[in-house]
Amino acid sequence: MLIKTPDFSLADTLTAGQTFCWNLGENENTWNGWIQGNYCCLKQKSPTQLIMSGSGLNSDDIRAYLGLNDDPMAILQPYFEGNQVLKEAVTKTRQLRCVQEPWWECTANFICSSLKQIPHIRQLNTTLRERFGDTQNEGISYTYPHWSRIARIDEEDLRRCRLGYRAKFLLGTARMIENGQFDPNRISNMETEEASNYLQRLPGVGEKIAHCILLYAWRRFDAFPIDVWIARAMHTLYFKQKKMPPHSKIHLKSRRLFGAHRGLAQLHLFHWTRVQGNRHKAS
DNA sequence: TGGCAGGGGTTGA
DNA sequence: TCAACCCCTGCC
């Protein structure tokens, strides 16, 4: 199925640290992964054309998952005045989109993410699928294990998936959801800050991960996850002081600079600084 | 080949 | 505020 898109980069979007269930296929520009529990193959034919195969999904599903209905340039334009840095970052990364991950997989991925790099997190996602998920396509692909499945696993079995200390957190979170101590349906009716505090009741979920979940699963564009990358970027770009400012000050600054769309701004700044870093490394 | 540092974070004292 | 928690990678 051919899907027309705005100016878009599939690779940038799938490797920007939002989602961890996509792997590069054998053919160039081809990615195999999961949308709404359906295994599918996406190929970027051109910056404005995608080809989707291998699932019962329609183009609206793909567009919604990949955030193709958003125009980041238009959304963030009101914040460009007096903020040349943001304008440049968004212009250079305008092919990037904010995805919409399933909330449980997103939560589990980010619990697994602490002190891990993107390839490791992707590896963990694959391992958990292969060991505890249900098979689709006769063993070629596996669904992400439901929390009720994870809740029944021994911590030692999870540790054997190379989760380390994160095994206890993932198990604790799955069990809290399973026994009704945490109700994800409540999130939709909460303000972002309240939702962040609620998510932080889950073991292994602190402020950063709570904001990641709100941004990438609930698409709360006012969530602003601060990791070491974005903290460094904000420090370099927007603070004159030599010492790294505390997260409270970075949050305040992000509100002032990017308003209700600071999460989206974060995504583009993060990607832009990473691309620049790689460029410096390459040269 | 092996030792060491450091990495996209959270917890608990 | 800071050590502890695991595992992997890159570097020497």
Side-chain angles (χ1 to χ4, degrees):
Chain A
M1 177 193 290
L2 183 71
I3 300 165
K4 291 201 170 177
T5 73
D7 189 18
F8 170 70
S9 166
L10 184 63
D12 286 356
T13 299
L14 297 182
T15 60
Q18 318 177 67
T19 171
F20 304 95
C21 63
W22 291 89
N23 291 298
L24 202 49
E26 284 173 12
N27 301 320
E28 208 182 341
N29 301 326
T30 302
W31 294 81
N32 300 316
W34 294 83
I35 297 175
Q36 297 171 12
N38 292 280
Y39 188 68
C40 70
C41 173
L42 291 176
K43 179 180 168 68
Q44 179 126 44
K45 197 178 172 202
S46 77
T48 58
Q49 287 182 315
L50 286 180
I51 296 172
M52 189 269 289
S53 57
S55 82
L57 298 164
N58 61 41
S59 65
D60 286 343
D61 297 327
I62 309 293
R63 295 182 69 84
Y65 174 78
L66 293 172
L68 291 171
N69 300 318
D70 304 320
D71 178 352
M73 282 295 278
I75 293 171
L76 291 168
Q77 174 123 38
Y79 308 100
F80 288 168
E81 198 180 332
N83 194 339
Q84 196 57 35
V85 167
L86 179 69
K87 188 177 179 181
E88 185 177 346
V90 181
T91 305
K92 294 261 169 71
T93 62
R94 63 185 178 281
Q95 293 185 318
L96 183 65
R97 290 297 183 281
C98 181
V99 303
Q100 180 160 29
E101 280 288 274
W103 71 269
W104 160 244
E105 183 176 341
C106 185
T107 302
N109 275 336
F110 280 103
I111 287 173
C112 296
S113 76
S114 76
L115 292 186
K116 289 264 184 195
Q117 290 167 348
I118 290 172
H120 302 154
I121 308 167
R122 199 178 293 143
Q123 213 166 43
L124 279 178
N125 183 290
T126 303
T127 305
L128 288 173
R129 284 174 184 280
E130 288 175 355
R131 297 208 184 162
F132 305 114
D134 295 323
T135 180
Q136 273 191 3
N137 310 328
E138 293 167 354
I140 295 170
S141 56
Y142 295 83
T143 59
Y144 197 81
H146 193 266
W147 65 80
S148 58
R149 175 75 184 97
I150 298 281
R152 295 198 309 271
I153 300 170
D154 283 337
E155 187 181 326
E156 279 312 306
D157 285 340
L158 274 181
R159 280 184 176 257
R160 276 192 274 276
C161 299
R162 301 181 191 282
L163 256 76
Y165 63 87
R166 304 161 194 86
K168 190 173 75 178
F169 295 151
L170 183 61
L171 195 58
T173 287
R175 287 178 178 168
M176 269 185 77
I177 299 166
E178 177 66 4
N179 66 27
Q181 287 174 278
F182 179 89
D183 178 7
N185 295 317
R186 290 180 58 188
I187 299 282
S188 304
N189 298 321
M190 290 179 178
E191 295 290 321
T192 297
E193 211 42 52
E194 187 189 0
S196 165
N197 291 330
Y198 186 56
L199 280 164
Q200 287 178 59
R201 291 189 196 175
L202 296 169
V205 177
E207 187 188 49
K208 187 264 175 179
I209 290 179
H211 280 248
C212 283
I213 297 166
L214 288 167
L215 181 58
Y216 304 130
W218 272 277
R219 289 170 60 82
R220 295 287 182 95
F221 286 169
D222 58 339
F224 192 79
I226 301 177
D227 55 37
V228 300
W229 285 85
I230 205 69
R232 280 183 204 138
M234 289 291 289
H235 179 210
T236 310
L237 300 172
Y238 296 114
F239 287 83
K240 287 182 181 149
Q241 65 194 73
K242 207 169 181 184
K243 200 177 154 201
M244 175 69 77
H247 284 191
S248 55
K249 280 200 171 175
I250 298 178
H251 272 299
L252 277 175
K253 181 78 87 177
S254 76
R255 279 197 182 86
R256 197 170 64 71
L257 290 168
F258 317 127
H261 299 97
R262 50 192 179 274
L264 206 54
Q266 185 262 17
L267 183 66
H268 288 272
L269 281 173
F270 172 55
H271 192 66
W272 181 61
T273 50
R274 268 186 21 147
V275 169
Q276 285 211 318
N278 289 337
R279 198 170 292 146
H280 289 151
K281 263 187 235 165
S283 60

